[in-house]
Amino acid sequence: PNGAGKTTLFNVINGVYPPDEGKIIFNGKDVTARKPYDLARLGLARTHQIVRPLNDLTVRENVMVGACFGREDRGLSEATEIAQEVIAFVGLQTFSEQLAGNLNVAQKKRLEMARALAARPYLLLLDEVLAGLNPSEISTMVESIQKIREQGVTIIMIEHVMHAVMNVSDRIIVLDYGQQI
């Protein structure tokens, strides 16, 4: 349910908040309380429940940010190539040179995913990536998530659209006020 602590958990995993107790182990390393930019370099990327595009940059430039500051630490020319590849993967080619602030919600969700994927993550945290989408958009996004899985990327997904969750999940955990039920 809303308020259960799902996004807070992502923020702890992603280094936005330090945990009150316990440790965050990623790829065999203790990364507890590491900064989000350090975790991105280690191969952890995320999307946000409320999309956060860099509105004054183009779609391509937004995705390049992920490549430049992600696991592979790419330069601008390589980031441009990666951006074009990932933009095509999420189906935003026709919007590549458009300002991100001009996209609709579904397009911004795909942009958010593209920016995360350009970071070349080992682990992708998807925070309600299907929220606000119509059934057709959900279907398209689920197909993309399945393709990401097939590429070997581990995905942890917060989602309320249960038919989508059932189609992409190997394991499901339900949280209620911070407790696993």
Side-chain angles (χ1 to χ4, degrees):
N2 292 329
K6 301 177 300 294
T7 298
T8 299
L9 175 61
F10 268 23
N11 284 330
V12 170
I13 293 169
N14 188 232
V16 174
Y17 303 141
D20 292 334
E21 59 184 73
K23 294 180 181 178
I24 306 298
I25 306 296
F26 177 63
N27 273 348
K29 297 177 186 168
D30 183 348
V31 296
T32 307
R34 297 272 300 261
K35 299 292 183 196
Y37 54 84
D38 288 332
L39 293 167
R41 292 277 192 230
L42 292 174
L44 193 150
R46 75 170 294 181
T47 65
H48 295 88
Q49 182 176 358
I50 299 168
V51 292
R52 299 176 178 186
L54 302 166
N55 288 323
D56 295 331
L57 297 180
T58 66
V59 167
R60 180 180 46 79
E61 291 165 338
N62 264 267
V63 179
M64 287 174 65
V65 169
C68 288
F69 295 98
R71 179 174 60 86
E72 297 176 344
D73 191 22
R74 299 299 183 127
L76 289 178
S77 64
E78 292 175 304
T80 301
E81 291 175 28
I82 291 168
Q84 290 308 115
E85 171 192 317
V86 176
I87 287 167
F89 177 82
V90 300
L92 288 175
Q93 317 81 302
T94 58
F95 303 97
S96 184
E97 298 307 317
Q98 187 171 328
L99 290 179
N102 295 336
L103 299 177
N104 66 32
V105 172
Q107 293 161 342
K108 286 179 182 178
K109 294 249 182 189
R110 286 190 277 158
L111 173 58
E112 184 103 344
M113 183 180 285
R115 189 171 54 206
L117 289 173
R120 302 292 200 229
Y122 298 118
L123 173 63
L124 177 60
L125 305 176
L126 299 177
D127 194 351
E128 295 196 31
V129 74
L130 306 177
L133 302 183
N134 68 38
S136 174
E137 293 163 340
I138 289 172
S139 178
T140 300
M141 192 68 89
V142 167
E143 287 176 25
S144 295
I145 293 167
Q146 288 169 328
K147 288 177 185 172
I148 294 165
R149 280 187 55 187
E150 290 167 6
Q151 294 173 358
V153 176
T154 299
I155 300 170
I156 301 177
M157 185 169 145
I158 296 172
E159 196 51 67
H160 293 273
V161 181
M162 291 313 297
H163 72 85
V165 170
M166 301 305 264
N167 283 321
V168 299
S169 299
D170 294 321
R171 182 173 181 207
I172 298 172
I173 297 171
V174 180
L175 291 180
D176 186 32
Y177 297 101
Q179 299 297 313
Q180 182 177 328
I181 57 173

PDB file of all heavy atoms in Angstrom, residues 73-96:
ATOM      1  N   ASP A  73      31.478   5.260 -17.253  1.00  0.00           N
ATOM      2  CA  ASP A  73      32.154   6.563 -17.247  1.00  0.00           C
ATOM      3  C   ASP A  73      32.517   7.007 -18.665  1.00  0.00           C
ATOM      4  O   ASP A  73      33.672   7.288 -18.961  1.00  0.00           O
ATOM      5  CB  ASP A  73      33.397   6.470 -16.358  1.00  0.00           C
ATOM      6  CG  ASP A  73      34.026   7.820 -16.071  1.00  0.00           C
ATOM      7  OD1 ASP A  73      33.332   8.843 -16.177  1.00  0.00           O
ATOM      8  OD2 ASP A  73      35.225   7.861 -15.751  1.00  0.00           O
ATOM      9  N   ARG A  74      31.548   7.054 -19.546  1.00  0.00           N
ATOM     10  CA  ARG A  74      31.783   7.356 -20.968  1.00  0.00           C
ATOM     11  C   ARG A  74      31.974   8.842 -21.221  1.00  0.00           C
ATOM     12  O   ARG A  74      31.378   9.686 -20.558  1.00  0.00           O
ATOM     13  CB  ARG A  74      30.608   6.848 -21.808  1.00  0.00           C
ATOM     14  CG  ARG A  74      30.398   5.358 -21.730  1.00  0.00           C
ATOM     15  CD  ARG A  74      31.623   4.598 -22.234  1.00  0.00           C
ATOM     16  NE  ARG A  74      31.400   3.177 -22.217  1.00  0.00           N
ATOM     17  CZ  ARG A  74      31.577   2.392 -23.258  1.00  0.00           C
ATOM     18  NH1 ARG A  74      31.994   2.866 -24.398  1.00  0.00           N
ATOM     19  NH2 ARG A  74      31.347   1.100 -23.142  1.00  0.00           N
ATOM     20  N   GLY A  75      32.758   9.141 -22.245  1.00  0.00           N
ATOM     21  CA  GLY A  75      32.927  10.507 -22.720  1.00  0.00           C
ATOM     22  C   GLY A  75      31.761  10.889 -23.615  1.00  0.00           C
ATOM     23  O   GLY A  75      30.897  10.064 -23.936  1.00  0.00           O
ATOM     24  N   LEU A  76      31.744  12.128 -24.066  1.00  0.00           N
ATOM     25  CA  LEU A  76      30.598  12.644 -24.815  1.00  0.00           C
ATOM     26  C   LEU A  76      30.340  11.919 -26.137  1.00  0.00           C
ATOM     27  O   LEU A  76      29.200  11.646 -26.474  1.00  0.00           O
ATOM     28  CB  LEU A  76      30.755  14.144 -25.067  1.00  0.00           C
ATOM     29  CG  LEU A  76      30.593  15.037 -23.837  1.00  0.00           C
ATOM     30  CD1 LEU A  76      30.824  16.506 -24.216  1.00  0.00           C
ATOM     31  CD2 LEU A  76      29.222  14.856 -23.220  1.00  0.00           C
ATOM     32  N   SER A  77      31.376  11.597 -26.888  1.00  0.00           N
ATOM     33  CA  SER A  77      31.124  10.936 -28.184  1.00  0.00           C
ATOM     34  C   SER A  77      30.556   9.540 -27.967  1.00  0.00           C
ATOM     35  O   SER A  77      29.609   9.142 -28.651  1.00  0.00           O
ATOM     36  CB  SER A  77      32.389  10.896 -29.041  1.00  0.00           C
ATOM     37  OG  SER A  77      33.388  10.115 -28.420  1.00  0.00           O
ATOM     38  N   GLU A  78      31.114   8.786 -27.019  1.00  0.00           N
ATOM     39  CA  GLU A  78      30.571   7.464 -26.722  1.00  0.00           C
ATOM     40  C   GLU A  78      29.178   7.575 -26.127  1.00  0.00           C
ATOM     41  O   GLU A  78      28.314   6.747 -26.407  1.00  0.00           O
ATOM     42  CB  GLU A  78      31.492   6.711 -25.762  1.00  0.00           C
ATOM     43  CG  GLU A  78      32.815   6.322 -26.366  1.00  0.00           C
ATOM     44  CD  GLU A  78      33.719   5.693 -25.332  1.00  0.00           C
ATOM     45  OE1 GLU A  78      33.980   6.341 -24.289  1.00  0.00           O
ATOM     46  OE2 GLU A  78      34.149   4.553 -25.563  1.00  0.00           O
ATOM     47  N   ALA A  79      28.963   8.584 -25.277  1.00  0.00           N
ATOM     48  CA  ALA A  79      27.653   8.789 -24.652  1.00  0.00           C
ATOM     49  C   ALA A  79      26.592   9.071 -25.700  1.00  0.00           C
ATOM     50  O   ALA A  79      25.446   8.628 -25.567  1.00  0.00           O
ATOM     51  CB  ALA A  79      27.717   9.926 -23.630  1.00  0.00           C
ATOM     52  N   THR A  80      26.952   9.766 -26.759  1.00  0.00           N
ATOM     53  CA  THR A  80      26.012  10.049 -27.837  1.00  0.00           C
ATOM     54  C   THR A  80      25.579   8.752 -28.516  1.00  0.00           C
ATOM     55  O   THR A  80      24.388   8.548 -28.773  1.00  0.00           O
ATOM     56  CB  THR A  80      26.644  11.004 -28.874  1.00  0.00           C
ATOM     57  OG1 THR A  80      27.014  12.214 -28.213  1.00  0.00           O
ATOM     58  CG2 THR A  80      25.687  11.325 -29.992  1.00  0.00           C
ATOM     59  N   GLU A  81      26.531   7.868 -28.774  1.00  0.00           N
ATOM     60  CA  GLU A  81      26.212   6.582 -29.393  1.00  0.00           C
ATOM     61  C   GLU A  81      25.314   5.736 -28.487  1.00  0.00           C
ATOM     62  O   GLU A  81      24.337   5.147 -28.948  1.00  0.00           O
ATOM     63  CB  GLU A  81      27.497   5.815 -29.706  1.00  0.00           C
ATOM     64  CG  GLU A  81      28.318   6.431 -30.812  1.00  0.00           C
ATOM     65  CD  GLU A  81      29.648   5.710 -31.001  1.00  0.00           C
ATOM     66  OE1 GLU A  81      29.737   4.508 -30.697  1.00  0.00           O
ATOM     67  OE2 GLU A  81      30.598   6.372 -31.468  1.00  0.00           O
ATOM     68  N   ILE A  82      25.669   5.676 -27.216  1.00  0.00           N
ATOM     69  CA  ILE A  82      24.870   4.910 -26.257  1.00  0.00           C
ATOM     70  C   ILE A  82      23.466   5.485 -26.167  1.00  0.00           C
ATOM     71  O   ILE A  82      22.481   4.749 -26.150  1.00  0.00           O
ATOM     72  CB  ILE A  82      25.550   4.888 -24.873  1.00  0.00           C
ATOM     73  CG1 ILE A  82      26.827   4.052 -24.936  1.00  0.00           C
ATOM     74  CG2 ILE A  82      24.607   4.359 -23.796  1.00  0.00           C
ATOM     75  CD1 ILE A  82      27.728   4.192 -23.727  1.00  0.00           C
ATOM     76  N   ALA A  83      23.370   6.813 -26.136  1.00  0.00           N
ATOM     77  CA  ALA A  83      22.065   7.468 -26.042  1.00  0.00           C
ATOM     78  C   ALA A  83      21.186   7.089 -27.224  1.00  0.00           C
ATOM     79  O   ALA A  83      20.011   6.745 -27.040  1.00  0.00           O
ATOM     80  CB  ALA A  83      22.236   8.984 -25.961  1.00  0.00           C
ATOM     81  N   GLN A  84      21.731   7.135 -28.426  1.00  0.00           N
ATOM     82  CA  GLN A  84      20.930   6.792 -29.605  1.00  0.00           C
ATOM     83  C   GLN A  84      20.454   5.339 -29.537  1.00  0.00           C
ATOM     84  O   GLN A  84      19.305   5.041 -29.865  1.00  0.00           O
ATOM     85  CB  GLN A  84      21.726   7.046 -30.885  1.00  0.00           C
ATOM     86  CG  GLN A  84      21.952   8.522 -31.178  1.00  0.00           C
ATOM     87  CD  GLN A  84      20.680   9.355 -31.167  1.00  0.00           C
ATOM     88  OE1 GLN A  84      20.501  10.235 -30.328  1.00  0.00           O
ATOM     89  NE2 GLN A  84      19.765   9.091 -32.089  1.00  0.00           N
ATOM     90  N   GLU A  85      21.320   4.447 -29.095  1.00  0.00           N
ATOM     91  CA  GLU A  85      20.965   3.033 -28.966  1.00  0.00           C
ATOM     92  C   GLU A  85      19.835   2.842 -27.950  1.00  0.00           C
ATOM     93  O   GLU A  85      18.852   2.144 -28.220  1.00  0.00           O
ATOM     94  CB  GLU A  85      22.209   2.262 -28.524  1.00  0.00           C
ATOM     95  CG  GLU A  85      21.980   0.829 -28.149  1.00  0.00           C
ATOM     96  CD  GLU A  85      23.209   0.246 -27.451  1.00  0.00           C
ATOM     97  OE1 GLU A  85      24.342   0.507 -27.913  1.00  0.00           O
ATOM     98  OE2 GLU A  85      23.016  -0.477 -26.454  1.00  0.00           O
ATOM     99  N   VAL A  86      19.969   3.473 -26.797  1.00  0.00           N
ATOM    100  CA  VAL A  86      18.980   3.298 -25.725  1.00  0.00           C
ATOM    101  C   VAL A  86      17.669   4.002 -26.074  1.00  0.00           C
ATOM    102  O   VAL A  86      16.584   3.492 -25.791  1.00  0.00           O
ATOM    103  CB  VAL A  86      19.550   3.783 -24.370  1.00  0.00           C
ATOM    104  CG1 VAL A  86      18.513   3.713 -23.278  1.00  0.00           C
ATOM    105  CG2 VAL A  86      20.769   2.964 -23.984  1.00  0.00           C
ATOM    106  N   ILE A  87      17.760   5.148 -26.711  1.00  0.00           N
ATOM    107  CA  ILE A  87      16.555   5.870 -27.147  1.00  0.00           C
ATOM    108  C   ILE A  87      15.752   4.998 -28.115  1.00  0.00           C
ATOM    109  O   ILE A  87      14.518   4.931 -28.025  1.00  0.00           O
ATOM    110  CB  ILE A  87      16.929   7.234 -27.772  1.00  0.00           C
ATOM    111  CG1 ILE A  87      17.373   8.202 -26.671  1.00  0.00           C
ATOM    112  CG2 ILE A  87      15.783   7.813 -28.582  1.00  0.00           C
ATOM    113  CD1 ILE A  87      18.049   9.465 -27.174  1.00  0.00           C
ATOM    114  N   ALA A  88      16.436   4.325 -29.015  1.00  0.00           N
ATOM    115  CA  ALA A  88      15.745   3.416 -29.943  1.00  0.00           C
ATOM    116  C   ALA A  88      15.121   2.252 -29.176  1.00  0.00           C
ATOM    117  O   ALA A  88      13.994   1.849 -29.461  1.00  0.00           O
ATOM    118  CB  ALA A  88      16.714   2.902 -31.004  1.00  0.00           C
ATOM    119  N   PHE A  89      15.839   1.722 -28.198  1.00  0.00           N
ATOM    120  CA  PHE A  89      15.343   0.599 -27.405  1.00  0.00           C
ATOM    121  C   PHE A  89      14.016   0.933 -26.719  1.00  0.00           C
ATOM    122  O   PHE A  89      13.111   0.115 -26.679  1.00  0.00           O
ATOM    123  CB  PHE A  89      16.393   0.188 -26.365  1.00  0.00           C
ATOM    124  CG  PHE A  89      15.940  -0.909 -25.453  1.00  0.00           C
ATOM    125  CD1 PHE A  89      16.001  -2.237 -25.851  1.00  0.00           C
ATOM    126  CD2 PHE A  89      15.456  -0.623 -24.184  1.00  0.00           C
ATOM    127  CE1 PHE A  89      15.581  -3.261 -25.011  1.00  0.00           C
ATOM    128  CE2 PHE A  89      15.029  -1.636 -23.335  1.00  0.00           C
ATOM    129  CZ  PHE A  89      15.089  -2.959 -23.749  1.00  0.00           C
ATOM    130  N   VAL A  90      13.902   2.164 -26.187  1.00  0.00           N
ATOM    131  CA  VAL A  90      12.668   2.544 -25.483  1.00  0.00           C
ATOM    132  C   VAL A  90      11.638   3.204 -26.401  1.00  0.00           C
ATOM    133  O   VAL A  90      10.563   3.590 -25.950  1.00  0.00           O
ATOM    134  CB  VAL A  90      12.943   3.458 -24.256  1.00  0.00           C
ATOM    135  CG1 VAL A  90      13.841   2.764 -23.249  1.00  0.00           C
ATOM    136  CG2 VAL A  90      13.505   4.813 -24.667  1.00  0.00           C
ATOM    137  N   GLY A  91      11.969   3.352 -27.687  1.00  0.00           N
ATOM    138  CA  GLY A  91      11.003   3.864 -28.650  1.00  0.00           C
ATOM    139  C   GLY A  91      10.813   5.365 -28.659  1.00  0.00           C
ATOM    140  O   GLY A  91       9.729   5.855 -28.954  1.00  0.00           O
ATOM    141  N   LEU A  92      11.873   6.110 -28.381  1.00  0.00           N
ATOM    142  CA  LEU A  92      11.773   7.569 -28.381  1.00  0.00           C
ATOM    143  C   LEU A  92      12.571   8.231 -29.503  1.00  0.00           C
ATOM    144  O   LEU A  92      12.826   9.433 -29.459  1.00  0.00           O
ATOM    145  CB  LEU A  92      12.255   8.136 -27.031  1.00  0.00           C
ATOM    146  CG  LEU A  92      11.354   7.934 -25.820  1.00  0.00           C
ATOM    147  CD1 LEU A  92      12.028   8.453 -24.557  1.00  0.00           C
ATOM    148  CD2 LEU A  92      10.003   8.622 -26.018  1.00  0.00           C
ATOM    149  N   GLN A  93      12.932   7.463 -30.556  1.00  0.00           N
ATOM    150  CA  GLN A  93      13.776   8.015 -31.618  1.00  0.00           C
ATOM    151  C   GLN A  93      13.236   9.305 -32.212  1.00  0.00           C
ATOM    152  O   GLN A  93      13.999  10.211 -32.494  1.00  0.00           O
ATOM    153  CB  GLN A  93      13.986   7.039 -32.775  1.00  0.00           C
ATOM    154  CG  GLN A  93      14.266   5.636 -32.562  1.00  0.00           C
ATOM    155  CD  GLN A  93      13.078   4.772 -32.271  1.00  0.00           C
ATOM    156  OE1 GLN A  93      12.348   4.987 -31.324  1.00  0.00           O
ATOM    157  NE2 GLN A  93      12.890   3.726 -33.055  1.00  0.00           N
ATOM    158  N   THR A  94      11.936   9.376 -32.430  1.00  0.00           N
ATOM    159  CA  THR A  94      11.376  10.564 -33.080  1.00  0.00           C
ATOM    160  C   THR A  94      11.408  11.798 -32.176  1.00  0.00           C
ATOM    161  O   THR A  94      11.175  12.908 -32.642  1.00  0.00           O
ATOM    162  CB  THR A  94       9.925  10.315 -33.553  1.00  0.00           C
ATOM    163  OG1 THR A  94       9.137   9.949 -32.431  1.00  0.00           O
ATOM    164  CG2 THR A  94       9.873   9.226 -34.612  1.00  0.00           C
ATOM    165  N   PHE A  95      11.719  11.599 -30.885  1.00  0.00           N
ATOM    166  CA  PHE A  95      11.747  12.714 -29.937  1.00  0.00           C
ATOM    167  C   PHE A  95      13.163  13.071 -29.509  1.00  0.00           C
ATOM    168  O   PHE A  95      13.353  13.896 -28.620  1.00  0.00           O
ATOM    169  CB  PHE A  95      10.922  12.358 -28.694  1.00  0.00           C
ATOM    170  CG  PHE A  95       9.503  12.003 -29.012  1.00  0.00           C
ATOM    171  CD1 PHE A  95       9.120  10.674 -29.129  1.00  0.00           C
ATOM    172  CD2 PHE A  95       8.551  12.987 -29.214  1.00  0.00           C
ATOM    173  CE1 PHE A  95       7.811  10.334 -29.433  1.00  0.00           C
ATOM    174  CE2 PHE A  95       7.239  12.656 -29.526  1.00  0.00           C
ATOM    175  CZ  PHE A  95       6.877  11.326 -29.641  1.00  0.00           C
ATOM    176  N   SER A  96      14.164  12.472 -30.124  1.00  0.00           N
ATOM    177  CA  SER A  96      15.549  12.593 -29.693  1.00  0.00           C
ATOM    178  C   SER A  96      16.019  14.032 -29.518  1.00  0.00           C
ATOM    179  O   SER A  96      16.729  14.348 -28.571  1.00  0.00           O
ATOM    180  CB  SER A  96      16.463  11.864 -30.689  1.00  0.00           C
ATOM    181  OG  SER A  96      17.777  11.874 -30.257  1.00  0.00           O
TER     182      SER A  96
END
